[in-house]
Amino acid sequence: MSVVRRAKTWEISESEDSDAETKPGLSCDDSRQTASTEKQEQGSHSSAANRGGSAALAPPPAGESGKPSPARKRRSKEEIEEDRLKVKERKEARESQRAARAQEKEERRQEQQRRREAAQTLKSLRPENCLKCITVCIHPALLQQDGSDVLLDTLVSLDWKFSIESDQLVSSIAWTRDLPHQGEGAMVAVVEEEEEQVLLVLNLADFMDVVISVKRIIHSEGVETGVGSFWSPLLEFLNRDAKKVVTLLVTDSEPDYRSNTHAVPLQYKLGMDHLDIEEVLVYLQLYKNISVVFLDSWQEVTDHVCAVTKALSKRPFKVLTEGAELPFCVDGSWASGVRVEKDGSGLIQVWSRQIQQLNRVSPAVASAVTASYPSPQLLLQAYNSLRSEEDRKGLLAGLSAKSGGKERRVGPEISARVYRCLTAHNPQLVLD
């Protein structure tokens, strides 16, 4: 293997010797100056050729290369703690805003849920829907009487629910209502609730048994006797549940005694005069809360049962609508009411609707009154500022009411009626 060794001295080629020989007039200093000039020219050419790329690679100026970077200011513990508190406050503010939005969203959801439940409850309480939840319970002893098939045929034709119950009072008709009950979780169970209305269907012989028992109680000064009679199971039934309201339906199945006046057959059957029968009826009504109704046939009994069933179906809706203290100021927005918000908006519409409850007061007249006196308190203050009674009655007479392009005055009659409505202390006073 041959080893290449670097020459320790520079060898001058013949061409360089020839150049040196051709230029004998140049001295050593001149040759140095010429070499430096050539290097400058070569540097200028190379910088011009690479001006775009090499300019970014140029070293920084000598004046800026030695400038020291600014030192970072160190914060104190108080500043660090203050910044930490500010960050914590911003975080808590964001969390509180997020919680407020979530709570508002939950409240809106609950409000919508309450409205849906209220609408569903109102829908279920309507008579046509509530009638589907009522069951007519009939004792089997009534089915043995002649003409009782009229009641069953009528219930079938009306598509009403009925059942045969042997565990209730003998010869009675009762009602039960199916009510939804919230069970475990989201389960909804149906619970049967007994109505307090009970009809007891009696013929003349059974009613005679009741009359004799009551007469014994009256003559014995309140001592209840009659064990073994028809009166005893009725007393036991009332003692078990004092809230029950019993009505005796007395029918006469014999055609000879069917008439509009039952006094003659009752006197004949019972051997009592009219005063004795009235005494029994008054005792039953006052002491036992038992009413007595005399009917001619099973058709009238059927009509009475249908009337009571319809009344029971209408009761929940009436209780709901009549329970409001101010029927003209309701929570919802519907045809006969005005919605009042929490900020009080809607009260002037309530005031106008309240005036319209008076007879012959049109919306135009009510608008004229509310435009001059936006609240009842302002109208009462205006009444108190007047001295005479006549001036107070005629305070609203001159107001102008516009309706259908026509303009007329409120008039003294309506003005006096509004005055009496707001200032009278007698609840039985007739305004008209």
Side-chain angles (χ1 to χ4, degrees):
M1 177 182 296
S2 60
V3 178
V4 179
R5 295 182 180 179
R6 180 176 297 178
K8 295 182 181 181
T9 57
W10 290 95
E11 296 180 357
I12 300 174
S13 61
E14 296 178 357
S15 60
E16 293 177 353
D17 293 340
S18 62
D19 293 337
E21 291 176 356
T22 54
K23 299 178 180 180
L26 291 175
S27 63
C28 183
D29 294 335
D30 294 335
S31 62
R32 291 177 181 175
Q33 184 177 0
T34 304
S36 62
T37 303
E38 291 178 355
K39 289 180 179 181
Q40 291 178 0
E41 290 177 356
Q42 291 177 0
S44 62
H45 287 301
S46 62
S47 62
N50 301 326
R51 184 176 299 173
S54 61
L57 300 177
E64 297 181 0
S65 60
K67 185 178 180 180
S69 59
R72 185 175 180 180
K73 184 180 179 181
R74 299 188 63 180
R75 297 184 300 169
S76 62
K77 294 182 179 180
E78 291 78 6
E79 293 177 347
I80 295 174
E81 184 67 19
E82 184 179 358
D83 293 343
R84 190 182 65 81
L85 292 177
K86 288 181 180 179
V87 172
K88 184 178 179 181
E89 290 177 358
R90 288 196 296 267
K91 184 178 179 180
E92 291 178 354
R94 289 194 299 268
E95 291 179 353
S96 62
Q97 292 177 359
R98 190 181 302 108
R101 288 194 296 267
Q103 183 179 1
E104 184 179 358
K105 184 178 180 180
E106 181 65 19
E107 290 177 356
R108 287 198 302 267
R109 189 190 66 79
Q110 293 179 0
E111 180 66 21
Q112 292 176 358
Q113 181 68 19
R114 285 194 295 267
R115 289 183 180 181
R116 283 195 296 267
E117 292 177 356
Q120 187 67 24
T121 303
L122 182 62
K123 183 179 179 181
S124 63
L125 293 180
R126 293 189 178 277
E128 60 273 10
N129 296 326
C130 191
L131 193 59
K132 301 176 183 178
C133 303
I134 296 178
T135 303
V136 183
C137 304
I138 305 172
H139 193 271
L142 294 176
L143 304 180
Q144 301 176 3
Q145 300 184 15
D146 296 336
S148 60
D149 54 342
V150 178
L151 176 60
L152 298 180
D153 295 340
T154 303
L155 295 178
V156 172
S157 62
L158 294 175
D159 198 16
W160 290 356
K161 294 191 299 182
F162 66 93
S163 62
I164 309 301
E165 302 289 343
S166 59
D167 56 347
Q168 61 187 27
L169 186 62
V170 180
S171 301
S172 66
I173 300 175
W175 288 266
T176 59
R177 188 190 303 272
D178 296 336
L179 297 177
H181 180 70
Q182 188 71 25
E184 298 181 358
M187 298 295 294
V188 178
V190 178
V191 179
E192 286 189 357
E193 180 182 353
E194 295 183 358
E195 296 289 342
E196 66 273 11
Q197 296 292 333
V198 176
L199 300 181
L200 190 59
V201 183
L202 304 176
N203 53 29
L204 290 180
D206 297 333
F207 182 68
M208 181 175 58
D209 181 42
V210 174
V211 170
I212 294 174
S213 300
V214 172
K215 290 294 291 182
R216 289 176 181 175
I217 295 174
I218 295 174
H219 292 310
S220 61
E221 296 180 356
V223 179
E224 296 183 354
T225 58
V227 179
S229 64
F230 193 86
W231 177 249
S232 296
L234 181 58
L235 288 179
E236 294 177 0
F237 176 77
L238 292 177
N239 291 332
R240 286 196 305 268
D241 193 350
K243 295 181 179 180
K244 294 294 184 180
V245 180
V246 179
T247 302
L248 301 182
L249 301 183
V250 182
T251 61
D252 186 5
S253 58
E254 299 180 8
D256 296 339
Y257 298 102
R258 289 182 181 177
S259 59
N260 294 330
T261 305
H262 289 273
V264 175
L266 284 175
Q267 292 175 5
Y268 178 79
K269 288 282 186 181
L270 303 177
M272 298 178 181
D273 57 6
H274 184 69
L275 293 179
D276 291 336
I277 298 176
E278 290 293 334
E279 185 181 12
V280 172
L281 298 181
V282 170
Y283 176 84
L284 292 176
Q285 180 67 44
L286 294 181
Y287 291 93
K288 302 299 179 181
N289 195 21
I290 298 176
S291 302
V292 181
V293 179
F294 297 99
L295 302 175
D296 289 337
S297 61
W298 264 96
Q299 182 60 50
E300 294 187 1
V301 174
T302 302
D303 295 341
H304 190 87
V305 171
C306 294
V308 174
T309 305
K310 291 180 180 179
L312 291 177
S313 66
K314 296 177 181 179
R315 177 186 295 178
F317 189 78
K318 286 186 177 181
V319 171
L320 181 64
T321 54
E322 294 176 358
E325 297 180 358
L326 300 176
F328 53 85
C329 179
V330 296
D331 188 17
S333 177
W334 57 309
S336 61
V338 177
R339 183 181 180 86
V340 179
E341 302 294 343
K342 295 182 179 179
D343 58 352
S345 59
L347 287 175
I348 190 169
Q349 286 82 7
V350 174
W351 169 226
S352 176
R353 192 67 61 88
Q354 187 177 5
I355 299 175
Q356 294 179 42
Q357 288 187 330
L358 301 175
N359 292 334
R360 298 185 301 279
V361 175
S362 63
V365 174
S367 299
V369 175
T370 55
S372 299
Y373 304 97
S375 68
Q377 186 66 27
L378 295 177
L379 184 56
L380 290 176
Q381 292 176 2
Y383 284 144
N384 295 331
S385 63
L386 300 177
R387 297 183 178 181
S388 64
E389 189 77 9
E390 295 299 328
D391 293 341
R392 296 172 183 172
K393 291 182 179 180
L395 177 63
L396 306 177
L399 297 180
S400 178
K402 297 181 181 180
S403 176
K406 298 181 180 180
E407 184 176 351
R408 67 181 186 88
R409 296 188 309 123
V410 173
E413 181 183 356
I414 296 179
S415 177
R417 202 183 320 149
V418 173
Y419 170 72
R420 287 194 297 269
C421 177
L422 294 179
T423 59
H425 298 282
N426 182 14
Q428 306 298 331
L429 179 64
V430 179
L431 298 179
D432 257 343

